[in-house]
Amino acid sequence: MTVTLADVAARAQVSPATVSRVLNGNYPVAAATRERVLRAVDDLDYVLNGPASALAAATSDLVGILVNDIADPFFGIIAGAVQSEIGGPGGRAGGERLAVVCNTGGSPERELTYLTLLQRQRAAAVILTGGAVEDAEHAAAIAGKLRRLTEAGTRVVLCGRPPSPETGAVALAFDNRGGGKRLTAHLLGLGHRHVGYIAGPRERTTTRHRLEGHRAALAAHGVDDDPALVVHGPYDRRSGYDATSELLRRAPDLTAVVAANDTVALGACAALRDQGLRIPADVSVAGFDDLPFSVDAVPALTTVRLPLHEAGARAGRIAMGKEEAPPGGVATVHGELMVRGSTAGAR
Amino acid sequence: MTVTLADVAARAQVSPATVSRVLNGNYPVAAATRERVLRAVDDLDYVLNGPASALAAATSDLVGILVNDIADPFFGIIAGAVQSEIGGPGGRAGGERLAVVCNTGGSPERELTYLTLLQRQRAAAVILTGGAVEDAEHAAAIAGKLRRLTEAGTRVVLCGRPPSPETGAVALAFDNRGGGKRLTAHLLGLGHRHVGYIAGPRERTTTRHRLEGHRAALAAHGVDDDPALVVHGPYDRRSGYDATSELLRRAPDLTAVVAANDTVALGACAALRDQGLRIPADVSVAGFDDLPFSVDAVPALTTVRLPLHEAGARAGRIAMGKEEAPPGGVATVHGELMVRGSTAGAR
DNA sequence: CTGTTAGCGCGTTCAT
DNA sequence: ATGAACGCGCTAACAG
């Protein structure tokens, strides 16, 4: 039937333990015997049984990555970067680790379910990406789960998500508040006074922080914060389109729109064009994240660049213990304001 | 230390076997005892040991997804769709399956490595997405690996990749050739006679098929197939930009550019604009795939829409045995020509 | 440097 | 409907 380590041992005239040592490369083995074992492995087309190894060694080579939506490049870029760093020292099919990507859709329930599943797999590490839902009950449940994971030896890293104290999780938080503030300040500096804001979904840390930044900039410039100029919606193109139409209806004198992210901004641009408004001559538009397509929008999108790849890679390295965690277990990753053609002076 | 099934059994005053049956829900268990067991599970915060289950049951709930680049929405959309279908019948943290996403970067070596890793994990199914490298040696190696996987009971589905005969793998192939042909035919119908073609990387099935479609359209319209009008490059924005500059140098009388995919097309648009050329007044541009951002390009991109989500979902269902495999194990998924503003009559 | 001996934690017969 | 016993395939001491 299926060939086992014992079969390999028999064929190579050694003990199963020796085969194991050769395959894991952790103990010294004479070159000659190693050769013999490897030949037997090839001859028999032997493939190690992962579950059995994991059971015996009480560790696995699975790394969990929780994302809101893997179809969104924001998460795809982070996930790809993480993956590029979780490989072991290389060698044959040796040090490799596998990335388990879990689409939570932003639902705390699914987040919990997936964390349990990863715990069940005895994942070597878990990386949670993107903003968290701001619900006390769920936050507590997730914090509890994270604590149990770290206690069991699973490294937990939050990437683009605020710290979760007392859980042992390392956090690389994005400076959404600061980025949002600089972005709106840029618009106010251009003379805009009626700035619409398309916020992300309610009760999300990312949404709140970006919005707080926006409001901080308004306050700093002494501009009135009109609640009618803020509309909430999901992080998709459609939301940007609809919200912009709504904002235009509420405030025809709008001269600028700040979107929750670049994807939403693209929808906003489409809505403006469909209304016969020029960008930026009539209305300026700004996004957030600086996804790859944003520079190719017409006009190119003013936005806040988040170093998604770097952050994901760093999260991966920390999760693998290749890089030291930041002091206090928390680091803030800053964005960079990218001023492009989609914003200009108010008409 | 870590709580095991035996601990739960002791607390619930039943045998380990009964606990196992309750957790797997496959055997009849008296409601009363079930309750008792579940309470013990909660009390103890017990989480099943995945590797141990997998070893004992000789199956795992891992599903492998091989992609070229998870940061590319093309693959992200497919991966997300697959994930949405691999969940089991639901229930508690029961029927869930985990998606292992493997970034191969298009390298056959890494593809093989990951397949071996998934084989090692005894993955329940493996889904390979996107075009394959056309190298006889690697193709044979991969076919061999796929055969061994299917023989071991792992379901293998190819999504957006040509069939791999004699391997037991089910294939959902995209009609890249037909789509490419219709796209170029559309341009020729608009009067274009000098059409530049930015092809994908060499030795890739997707690249070859789309290019063959392009050439078939040229032939059908009696248009000369000038080798100087074809440039190869990777599937990224930069490649589109550079290739377009090169094409313009080679053939200043160019009136249209067909790109290997939408991302490349975006780069092509940028290059044209930087040269002071208008789209489509001076040069028409067309892409492939119809990714979400393509409709928001300015002008909106003419392209071939591939039902990525549907294809991924179907691949996931077939991999899970929820949907029957197509007759002969092979189905062709067709694209739809989306005519938008980026193409118009030749100047 | 290599062989021997025990489990790792669970699913699954076979009984009852 | 439940319990007892065995083994899945491998790693980790412990000798030697």
Side-chain angles (χ1 to χ4, degrees), chain B residues 71-95:
Chain B
D72 183 335
F74 177 91
F75 294 102
I77 291 169
I78 294 178
V82 169
Q83 248 227 30
S84 68
E85 292 289 350
I86 61 176
R92 37 181 294 111

Side-chain angles (χ1 to χ4, degrees), chain B residues 58-133:
Chain B
T59 61
S60 91
D61 44 8
L62 259 31
V63 173
I65 307 178
L66 266 61
V67 300
N68 281 356
D69 178 12
I70 192 62
D72 183 335
F74 177 91
F75 294 102
I77 291 169
I78 294 178
V82 169
Q83 248 227 30
S84 68
E85 292 289 350
I86 61 176
R92 37 181 294 111
E96 281 301 341
R97 235 142 320 203
L98 255 19
V100 176
V101 175
C102 308
N103 258 1
T104 65
S107 145
E109 289 84 7
R110 304 202 58 192
E111 217 164 50
L112 265 178
T113 301
Y114 277 123
L115 285 176
T116 301
L117 253 26
L118 290 167
Q119 183 181 8
R120 172 185 299 187
Q121 296 295 336
R122 306 298 190 255
V126 172
I127 296 173
L128 292 87
T129 67
V133 167

Side-chain angles (χ1 to χ4, degrees), chain A residues 4-5 20 24 46 49 53 56:
Chain A
T4 77
L5 194 151
S20 173
N24 293 304
Y46 172 68
N49 183 316
S53 305

